[in-house]
Coordinates of all heavy atoms in Angstrom, one line a residue:
D1 N 5.5 -1.6 4.1 CA 4.3 -0.8 4.2 C 4.6 0.6 3.7 O 4.9 1.4 4.5 CB 3.7 -0.8 5.6 CG 3.2 -2.1 6.0 OD1 2.6 -2.8 5.2 OD2 3.3 -2.4 7.2
Y2 N 4.4 0.8 2.4 CA 4.6 2.1 1.8 C 3.3 2.6 1.3 O 2.5 1.9 0.8 CB 5.6 2.0 0.6 CG 7.0 1.7 1.1 CD1 7.5 0.4 1.1 CD2 7.9 2.7 1.4 CE1 8.8 0.1 1.5 CE2 9.2 2.4 1.9 CZ 9.6 1.1 1.9 OH 10.9 0.9 2.3
V3 N 3.2 4.0 1.4 CA 2.0 4.6 1.0 C 2.4 5.7 0.0 O 3.3 6.5 0.3 CB 1.2 5.3 2.2 CG1 0.0 6.1 1.7 CG2 0.8 4.2 3.2
N4 N 1.7 5.8 -1.1 CA 2.0 6.9 -2.1 C 1.0 8.0 -1.8 O -0.2 7.7 -1.8 CB 1.9 6.4 -3.5 CG 3.0 5.5 -3.9 OD1 4.2 5.8 -3.6 ND2 2.8 4.5 -4.6
I5 N 1.4 9.2 -1.7 CA 0.5 10.3 -1.5 C 0.7 11.2 -2.8 O 1.8 11.6 -3.2 CB 0.9 11.1 -0.3 CG1 0.8 10.2 1.0 CG2 0.1 12.4 -0.2 CD1 1.2 10.9 2.2
Y6 N -0.5 11.5 -3.4 CA -0.5 12.3 -4.6 C -1.0 13.7 -4.2 O -2.1 13.8 -3.7 CB -1.4 11.7 -5.7 CG -0.8 10.4 -6.2 CD1 -1.1 9.2 -5.6 CD2 0.1 10.4 -7.3 CE1 -0.5 8.0 -6.0 CE2 0.6 9.2 -7.7 CZ 0.3 8.0 -7.1 OH 0.9 6.9 -7.6
T7 N -0.2 14.7 -4.5 CA -0.6 16.1 -4.2 C -0.5 16.9 -5.5 O -0.2 16.4 -6.5 CB 0.4 16.7 -3.2 OG1 1.7 16.9 -3.7 CG2 0.4 15.9 -1.9
M8 N -0.9 18.2 -5.4 CA -0.8 19.0 -6.6 C 0.7 19.2 -7.0 O 1.0 19.5 -8.2 CB -1.4 20.4 -6.3 CG -2.8 20.3 -5.9 SD -3.9 19.6 -7.1 CE -4.1 21.0 -8.2
D9 N 1.6 18.9 -6.1 CA 3.1 19.1 -6.4 C 3.7 17.8 -6.9 O 4.8 17.8 -7.4 CB 3.8 19.5 -5.1 CG 3.4 20.8 -4.6 OD1 3.0 21.7 -5.4 OD2 3.4 21.0 -3.4
G10 N 3.0 16.7 -6.8 CA 3.5 15.4 -7.3 C 3.2 14.3 -6.4 O 2.4 14.3 -5.5
R11 N 4.0 13.2 -6.5 CA 3.9 12.0 -5.7 C 4.9 11.9 -4.7 O 6.1 12.2 -4.9 CB 4.0 10.8 -6.6 CG 3.7 9.5 -5.9 CD 3.8 8.3 -6.8 NE 5.2 7.9 -6.8 CZ 5.7 6.9 -7.4 NH1 4.9 6.0 -8.0 NH2 7.0 6.6 -7.4
H12 N 4.5 11.5 -3.5 CA 5.4 11.4 -2.3 C 5.2 10.0 -1.7 O 4.1 9.5 -1.6 CB 5.1 12.4 -1.3 CG 5.1 13.8 -1.8 ND1 6.2 14.5 -2.0 CD2 4.1 14.6 -2.2 CE1 5.9 15.7 -2.5 NE2 4.6 15.8 -2.6
T13 N 6.3 9.3 -1.4 CA 6.2 7.9 -0.8 C 6.6 8.0 0.7 O 7.6 8.6 1.0 CB 7.1 7.0 -1.6 OG1 6.7 7.0 -2.9 CG2 7.0 5.6 -1.0
L14 N 5.7 7.4 1.5 CA 6.0 7.4 3.0 C 6.1 5.9 3.4 O 5.4 5.0 2.9 CB 4.8 8.0 3.7 CG 4.6 9.5 3.5 CD1 3.3 9.9 4.3 CD2 5.8 10.3 4.0
L15 N 6.8 5.7 4.5 CA 6.9 4.4 5.1 C 5.8 4.5 6.2 O 6.0 5.0 7.3 CB 8.3 4.2 5.7 CG 8.4 2.9 6.5 CD1 8.1 1.7 5.6 CD2 9.9 2.8 7.0
A16 N 4.6 4.0 5.9 CA 3.5 4.0 6.8 C 2.5 3.0 6.3 O 2.5 2.5 5.2 CB 2.9 5.4 6.9
T17 N 1.5 2.8 7.1 CA 0.3 2.0 6.7 C -0.8 2.9 6.4 O -0.9 4.1 6.9 CB -0.1 1.0 7.8 OG1 -0.6 1.7 8.9 CG2 1.0 0.0 8.2
M18 N -1.8 2.4 5.6 CA -3.0 3.2 5.4 C -3.7 3.6 6.6 O -4.2 4.7 6.8 CB -3.9 2.5 4.4 CG -3.4 2.4 3.0 SD -3.3 4.0 2.1 CE -5.1 4.2 1.7
K19 N -3.8 2.6 7.5 CA -4.5 2.8 8.8 C -3.9 3.9 9.6 O -4.6 4.7 10.2 CB -4.6 1.5 9.6 CG -5.5 1.5 10.8 CD -5.6 0.2 11.4 CE -6.6 0.2 12.5 NZ -6.9 -1.1 13.0
S20 N -2.6 3.9 9.7 CA -1.9 4.9 10.5 C -2.0 6.3 9.9 O -2.2 7.3 10.6 CB -0.4 4.5 10.8 OG 0.3 4.6 9.5
L21 N -1.9 6.3 8.6 CA -2.1 7.6 7.9 C -3.5 8.1 8.0 O -3.7 9.3 8.3 CB -1.8 7.4 6.4 CG -1.9 8.7 5.5 CD1 -0.9 9.7 6.0 CD2 -1.6 8.3 4.1
E22 N -4.5 7.2 7.9 CA -5.9 7.6 8.0 C -6.2 8.2 9.4 O -6.9 9.2 9.6 CB -6.8 6.4 7.8 CG -8.3 6.7 7.9 CD -9.1 5.5 7.6 OE1 -8.6 4.4 7.8 OE2 -10.3 5.7 7.3
S23 N -5.6 7.7 10.5 CA -5.8 8.1 11.8 C -5.1 9.5 12.1 O -5.6 10.2 13.0 CB -5.2 7.1 12.8 OG -3.8 7.1 12.8
K24 N -4.2 9.9 11.3 CA -3.5 11.2 11.4 C -4.1 12.3 10.6 O -3.9 13.5 10.9 CB -2.0 11.0 11.0 CG -1.2 10.2 12.0 CD 0.2 10.0 11.5 CE 0.9 9.0 12.4 NZ 2.2 8.6 12.0
L25 N -4.9 11.9 9.6 CA -5.5 12.9 8.8 C -6.8 13.5 9.4 O -7.5 12.7 10.1 CB -5.9 12.3 7.4 CG -4.7 12.0 6.5 CD1 -5.2 11.2 5.3 CD2 -4.0 13.2 6.1
P26 N -7.1 14.7 9.2 CA -8.4 15.3 9.8 C -9.6 14.6 9.2 O -9.8 14.7 7.9 CB -8.3 16.8 9.5 CG -7.2 17.0 8.5 CD -6.4 15.8 8.5
A27 N -10.4 14.0 10.0 CA -11.6 13.2 9.5 C -12.6 14.1 8.8 O -13.3 13.7 7.9 CB -12.3 12.5 10.7
K28 N -12.6 15.4 9.1 CA -13.6 16.3 8.5 C -13.2 16.6 7.0 O -14.0 17.0 6.2 CB -13.8 17.6 9.2 CG -12.5 18.5 9.2 CD -12.8 19.8 10.0 CE -11.6 20.7 10.1 NZ -11.2 21.2 8.8
D29 N -11.9 16.4 6.6 CA -11.5 16.7 5.3 C -11.2 15.5 4.4 O -11.2 15.6 3.2 CB -10.2 17.5 5.4 CG -10.4 18.8 6.0 OD1 -11.4 19.4 5.9 OD2 -9.4 19.3 6.7
F30 N -10.9 14.3 5.1 CA -10.5 13.1 4.3 C -11.4 11.9 4.6 O -12.0 11.8 5.7 CB -9.1 12.7 4.7 CG -8.0 13.7 4.2 CD1 -7.7 14.8 5.0 CD2 -7.4 13.5 3.0 CE1 -6.8 15.7 4.5 CE2 -6.5 14.5 2.5 CZ -6.1 15.5 3.3
I31 N -11.5 11.0 3.6 CA -12.3 9.8 3.8 C -11.7 8.7 3.1 O -11.1 8.9 2.0 CB -13.8 10.1 3.3 CG1 -14.7 8.8 3.7 CG2 -13.8 10.4 1.8 CD1 -16.1 9.1 3.5
R32 N -11.8 7.5 3.7 CA -11.3 6.3 3.0 C -12.4 5.8 2.2 O -13.5 5.5 2.6 CB -10.9 5.3 4.1 CG -10.1 4.1 3.5 CD -9.4 3.4 4.5 NE -8.5 2.4 3.9 CZ -7.5 1.8 4.6 NH1 -7.4 2.0 5.9 NH2 -6.8 0.9 4.0
I33 N -12.1 5.6 0.9 CA -13.1 5.1 0.0 C -12.9 3.7 -0.6 O -13.7 3.1 -1.3 CB -13.3 6.1 -1.2 CG1 -12.1 6.2 -2.0 CG2 -13.8 7.4 -0.7 CD1 -12.2 6.9 -3.4
H34 N -11.7 3.2 -0.2 CA -11.3 1.8 -0.7 C -10.1 1.4 0.2 O -9.5 2.3 0.8 CB -10.8 2.0 -2.2 CG -10.6 0.7 -2.9 ND1 -9.4 0.0 -2.7 CD2 -11.3 0.0 -3.7 CE1 -9.4 -1.1 -3.5 NE2 -10.6 -1.1 -4.1
R35 N -9.8 0.2 0.3 CA -8.7 -0.3 1.1 C -7.4 0.3 0.7 O -6.5 0.5 1.5 CB -8.6 -1.8 1.2 CG -8.2 -2.4 0.0 CD -8.2 -4.0 0.1 NE -7.6 -4.6 -1.0 CZ -6.4 -5.2 -1.1 NH1 -5.7 -5.3 0.0 NH2 -5.9 -5.7 -2.2
S36 N -7.4 0.8 -0.6 CA -6.1 1.4 -1.1 C -6.2 2.9 -1.3 O -5.2 3.5 -1.8 CB -5.8 0.7 -2.4 OG -5.6 -0.7 -2.3
F37 N -7.3 3.5 -1.0 CA -7.4 5.0 -1.3 C -8.1 5.8 -0.2 O -9.1 5.4 0.3 CB -8.3 5.2 -2.6 CG -7.6 4.6 -3.8 CD1 -8.0 3.3 -4.3 CD2 -6.7 5.3 -4.5 CE1 -7.5 2.8 -5.4 CE2 -6.1 4.7 -5.6 CZ -6.5 3.5 -6.1
I38 N -7.5 6.9 0.1 CA -8.0 7.9 1.0 C -8.0 9.2 0.1 O -7.0 9.5 -0.5 CB -7.2 8.1 2.2 CG1 -7.1 6.9 3.1 CG2 -7.7 9.3 3.1 CD1 -6.1 6.9 4.2
V39 N -9.2 9.9 0.1 CA -9.2 11.1 -0.7 C -9.7 12.3 0.1 O -10.3 12.1 1.2 CB -10.2 11.0 -1.9 CG1 -9.7 9.9 -2.9 CG2 -11.6 10.7 -1.5
R40 N -9.3 13.5 -0.3 CA -9.8 14.7 0.3 C -11.2 15.0 -0.3 O -11.3 15.0 -1.5 CB -8.8 15.8 0.0 CG -9.1 17.1 0.8 CD -8.0 18.1 0.6 NE -8.5 19.3 1.2 CZ -8.1 19.8 2.3 NH1 -7.2 19.2 3.0 NH2 -8.6 21.0 2.8
L41 N -12.1 15.2 0.6 CA -13.5 15.4 0.2 C -13.7 16.5 -0.8 O -14.5 16.4 -1.8 CB -14.4 15.5 1.4 CG -14.7 14.3 2.2 CD1 -15.3 14.6 3.5 CD2 -15.6 13.3 1.4
D42 N -13.1 17.6 -0.6 CA -13.3 18.8 -1.4 C -12.6 18.7 -2.8 O -12.7 19.6 -3.6 CB -12.9 20.1 -0.7 CG -11.4 20.2 -0.4 OD1 -10.7 19.2 -0.6 OD2 -11.0 21.3 0.1
R43 N -11.8 17.6 -3.0 CA -11.2 17.4 -4.3 C -12.0 16.5 -5.2 O -11.7 16.3 -6.4 CB -9.8 16.8 -4.1 CG -8.8 17.7 -3.4 CD -8.5 18.9 -4.2 NE -7.5 19.6 -3.4 CZ -7.2 20.9 -3.7 NH1 -7.8 21.5 -4.7 NH2 -6.3 21.5 -3.0
I44 N -13.1 15.9 -4.7 CA -13.9 15.0 -5.5 C -14.8 15.9 -6.5 O -15.5 16.8 -6.1 CB -14.9 14.2 -4.6 CG1 -14.1 13.2 -3.8 CG2 -15.9 13.4 -5.5 CD1 -14.9 12.5 -2.7
S45 N -14.6 15.7 -7.8 CA -15.3 16.5 -8.8 C -16.5 15.8 -9.4 O -17.4 16.4 -9.8 CB -14.3 16.9 -9.9 OG -13.7 15.8 -10.5
E46 N -16.4 14.4 -9.4 CA -17.5 13.6 -10.0 C -17.7 12.4 -9.2 O -16.8 11.9 -8.6 CB -17.3 13.2 -11.4 CG -17.4 14.3 -12.5 CD -17.2 13.7 -13.9 OE1 -17.8 12.7 -14.2 OE2 -16.4 14.3 -14.6
I47 N -19.0 11.9 -9.1 CA -19.3 10.7 -8.4 C -20.1 9.8 -9.4 O -21.1 10.2 -9.9 CB -20.1 10.9 -7.1 CG1 -19.3 11.8 -6.2 CG2 -20.4 9.6 -6.5 CD1 -20.2 12.3 -5.0
E48 N -19.6 8.6 -9.6 CA -20.3 7.6 -10.3 C -20.7 6.5 -9.3 O -20.4 6.6 -8.2 CB -19.5 7.1 -11.5 CG -19.2 8.1 -12.5 CD -18.4 7.6 -13.7 OE1 -18.4 6.4 -13.9 OE2 -17.8 8.5 -14.4
E49 N -21.3 5.5 -9.8 CA -21.8 4.4 -8.9 C -20.7 3.8 -8.1 O -20.8 3.6 -6.9 CB -22.6 3.4 -9.7 CG -23.3 2.4 -8.8 CD -24.2 1.4 -9.6 OE1 -24.7 1.9 -10.6 OE2 -24.3 0.3 -9.2
N50 N -19.6 3.4 -8.8 CA -18.5 2.7 -8.1 C -17.2 3.4 -8.2 O -16.1 2.8 -8.0 CB -18.4 1.3 -8.6 CG -19.6 0.5 -8.4 OD1 -20.2 0.5 -7.3 ND2 -20.1 -0.2 -9.4
S51 N -17.2 4.7 -8.4 CA -15.9 5.5 -8.5 C -16.2 7.0 -8.3 O -17.3 7.4 -8.4 CB -15.3 5.2 -9.9 OG -16.0 5.8 -10.9
V52 N -15.1 7.6 -8.0 CA -15.1 9.1 -7.9 C -14.0 9.6 -8.8 O -13.0 8.9 -9.1 CB -14.9 9.6 -6.5 CG1 -16.0 9.2 -5.6 CG2 -13.6 9.2 -5.9
S53 N -14.1 10.9 -9.2 CA -13.1 11.5 -10.0 C -12.4 12.6 -9.2 O -13.1 13.4 -8.6 CB -13.7 12.1 -11.2 OG -12.8 12.7 -12.1
V54 N -11.1 12.5 -9.1 CA -10.3 13.5 -8.4 C -9.2 13.9 -9.3 O -8.4 13.1 -9.8 CB -9.7 12.8 -7.1 CG1 -8.8 13.8 -6.4 CG2 -10.8 12.4 -6.2
N55 N -9.2 15.2 -9.6 CA -8.2 15.8 -10.5 C -8.1 15.0 -11.8 O -7.0 14.7 -12.4 CB -6.8 15.8 -9.9 CG -6.7 16.8 -8.7 OD1 -7.5 17.7 -8.7 ND2 -5.8 16.5 -7.8
G56 N -9.3 14.6 -12.4 CA -9.3 13.9 -13.6 C -9.0 12.5 -13.6 O -9.0 11.8 -14.6
K57 N -8.7 11.9 -12.4 CA -8.4 10.5 -12.3 C -9.6 9.8 -11.7 O -10.1 10.2 -10.7 CB -7.2 10.3 -11.5 CG -5.9 10.9 -12.2 CD -4.7 10.3 -11.7 CE -3.5 11.0 -12.2 NZ -2.9 10.4 -13.3
S58 N -9.9 8.6 -12.2 CA -11.0 7.8 -11.6 C -10.5 6.9 -10.6 O -9.5 6.2 -10.8 CB -11.6 7.0 -12.8 OG -12.7 6.2 -12.2
I59 N -11.1 7.0 -9.4 CA -10.7 6.2 -8.2 C -11.8 5.3 -7.8 O -12.9 5.8 -7.6 CB -10.2 7.1 -7.1 CG1 -9.1 8.0 -7.5 CG2 -9.8 6.3 -5.9 CD1 -8.7 9.0 -6.6
P60 N -11.6 4.0 -7.6 CA -12.7 3.1 -7.2 C -13.2 3.4 -5.8 O -12.4 3.7 -4.9 CB -12.1 1.7 -7.4 CG -10.6 1.9 -7.2 CD -10.3 3.3 -7.7
V61 N -14.5 3.1 -5.6 CA -15.1 3.2 -4.3 C -15.6 1.8 -4.0 O -16.4 1.2 -4.8 CB -16.3 4.2 -4.3 CG1 -17.0 4.1 -2.9 CG2 -15.9 5.6 -4.6
S62 N -15.1 1.2 -2.9 CA -15.5 -0.2 -2.5 C -16.9 -0.2 -2.0 O -17.4 0.8 -1.5 CB -14.5 -0.8 -1.5 OG -14.7 -0.1 -0.3
R63 N -17.6 -1.3 -2.1 CA -18.9 -1.5 -1.6 C -19.0 -1.2 -0.1 O -19.9 -0.6 0.4 CB -19.5 -2.9 -1.8 CG -19.9 -3.0 -3.3 CD -20.5 -4.4 -3.5 NE -19.3 -5.3 -3.9 CZ -19.2 -6.5 -3.6 NH1 -20.2 -7.2 -3.0 NH2 -18.1 -7.2 -4.0
S64 N -17.9 -1.6 0.6 CA -17.9 -1.4 2.1 C -17.8 0.1 2.5 O -18.1 0.4 3.6 CB -16.8 -2.3 2.7 OG -15.6 -1.9 2.3
H65 N -17.2 0.9 1.7 CA -17.0 2.3 2.0 C -18.0 3.3 1.3 O -18.1 4.4 1.6 CB -15.6 2.8 1.6 CG -14.6 2.1 2.5 ND1 -13.9 1.0 2.1 CD2 -14.0 2.5 3.7 CE1 -13.0 0.7 3.1 NE2 -13.1 1.5 4.0
R66 N -18.8 2.7 0.4 CA -19.7 3.5 -0.4 C -20.8 4.3 0.4 O -21.0 5.5 0.2 CB -20.4 2.6 -1.4 CG -21.3 3.4 -2.4 CD -21.8 2.4 -3.5 NE -22.5 3.1 -4.5 CZ -23.8 3.0 -4.6 NH1 -24.5 2.2 -3.9 NH2 -24.4 3.7 -5.6
E67 N -21.4 3.6 1.4 CA -22.4 4.2 2.2 C -21.9 5.4 3.0 O -22.5 6.4 3.1 CB -23.1 3.2 3.1 CG -24.3 3.7 3.8 CD -25.0 2.6 4.6 OE1 -25.1 1.5 4.2 OE2 -25.5 3.0 5.7
D68 N -20.7 5.2 3.6 CA -20.1 6.2 4.4 C -19.8 7.4 3.5 O -20.0 8.6 3.9 CB -18.8 5.7 5.0 CG -18.2 6.7 6.0 OD1 -18.9 7.4 6.6 OD2 -16.9 6.7 6.1
L69 N -19.2 7.2 2.3 CA -19.0 8.3 1.4 C -20.2 9.1 1.1 O -20.3 10.3 1.2 CB -18.3 7.8 0.1 CG -18.2 8.8 -1.0 CD1 -17.2 9.9 -0.6 CD2 -17.7 8.1 -2.3
F70 N -21.3 8.4 0.7 CA -22.5 9.0 0.3 C -23.1 9.8 1.5 O -23.7 10.9 1.3 CB -23.5 8.1 -0.3 CG -23.2 7.7 -1.7 CD1 -22.0 7.9 -2.3 CD2 -24.2 7.1 -2.5 CE1 -21.7 7.6 -3.6 CE2 -23.9 6.8 -3.8 CZ -22.7 7.0 -4.4
S71 N -23.1 9.2 2.7 CA -23.6 10.0 3.8 C -22.8 11.2 4.2 O -23.3 12.2 4.6 CB -23.8 9.0 5.0 OG -22.5 8.6 5.5
R72 N -21.5 11.1 4.0 CA -20.6 12.3 4.3 C -20.9 13.3 3.3 O -20.8 14.5 3.6 CB -19.1 11.9 4.3 CG -18.7 11.0 5.4 CD -18.3 11.7 6.6 NE -17.2 12.7 6.4 CZ -15.9 12.5 6.5 NH1 -15.5 11.3 6.7 NH2 -15.1 13.5 6.3
L73 N -21.2 13.0 2.1 CA -21.5 13.9 1.0 C -23.0 14.3 1.0 O -23.4 15.1 0.1 CB -21.0 13.4 -0.4 CG -19.5 13.2 -0.5 CD1 -19.2 12.5 -1.9 CD2 -18.8 14.5 -0.4
K74 N -23.7 13.7 1.9 CA -25.2 13.9 2.0 C -25.9 13.6 0.8 O -26.8 14.3 0.3 CB -25.4 15.4 2.4 CG -24.7 15.7 3.7 CD -25.3 16.8 4.5 CE -24.7 17.2 5.7 NZ -23.6 16.5 6.3
L75 N -25.6 12.4 0.2 CA -26.3 11.9 -1.0 C -27.3 10.8 -0.8 O -27.9 10.4 -1.7 CB -25.2 11.5 -2.1 CG -24.3 12.5 -2.6 CD1 -23.2 11.9 -3.5 CD2 -25.1 13.6 -3.3
L76 N -27.3 10.3 0.5 CA -28.3 9.3 0.8 C -29.5 9.9 1.4 O -29.5 10.9 2.0 CB -27.7 8.2 1.7 CG -26.7 7.3 1.1 CD1 -26.1 6.3 2.1 CD2 -27.3 6.5 0.0

């Protein structure tokens, strides 16, 4: 169970699960948008129907997490 964390300084690999990492991050700043991705809300620059853009990279948003993302961003 390894997790890659991408920051402005580069990539970091941790021995952890996504679930354990998600529980340690402040919920007001981070949101899980896919089973493989957690993003910082203030880093989202664009939103498309099934993806978001963070630092110029497109990240998929799963159907099961889409409604939560839109409600957190007050788009629904």
Side-chain angles (χ1 to χ4, degrees):
D1 292 323
Y2 290 93
V3 176
N4 287 319
I5 298 175
Y6 293 89
T7 66
M8 299 302 278
D9 299 326
R11 185 180 84 171
H12 308 278
T13 303
L14 295 176
L15 178 59
T17 63
M18 288 291 282
K19 188 173 184 170
S20 68
L21 182 62
E22 183 180 20
S23 71
K24 293 176 185 174
L25 293 170
K28 67 180 180 66
D29 297 325
F30 292 87
I31 186 168
R32 190 162 190 169
I33 61 169
H34 189 277
R35 70 182 186 109
S36 301
F37 296 98
I38 298 171
V39 298
R40 188 172 170 106
L41 287 166
D42 64 354
R43 298 292 183 194
I44 297 173
S45 57
E46 284 184 47
I47 301 170
E48 294 182 19
E49 188 171 327
N50 297 317
S51 66
V52 295
S53 182
V54 177
N55 294 333
K57 299 202 185 258
S58 181
I59 300 172
V61 177
S62 70
R63 282 181 272 150
S64 60
H65 291 94
R66 187 172 184 253
E67 187 175 325
D68 187 33
L69 171 65
F70 282 18
S71 67
R72 291 275 303 275
L73 294 174
K74 304 205 181 353
L75 296 174
L76 285 179

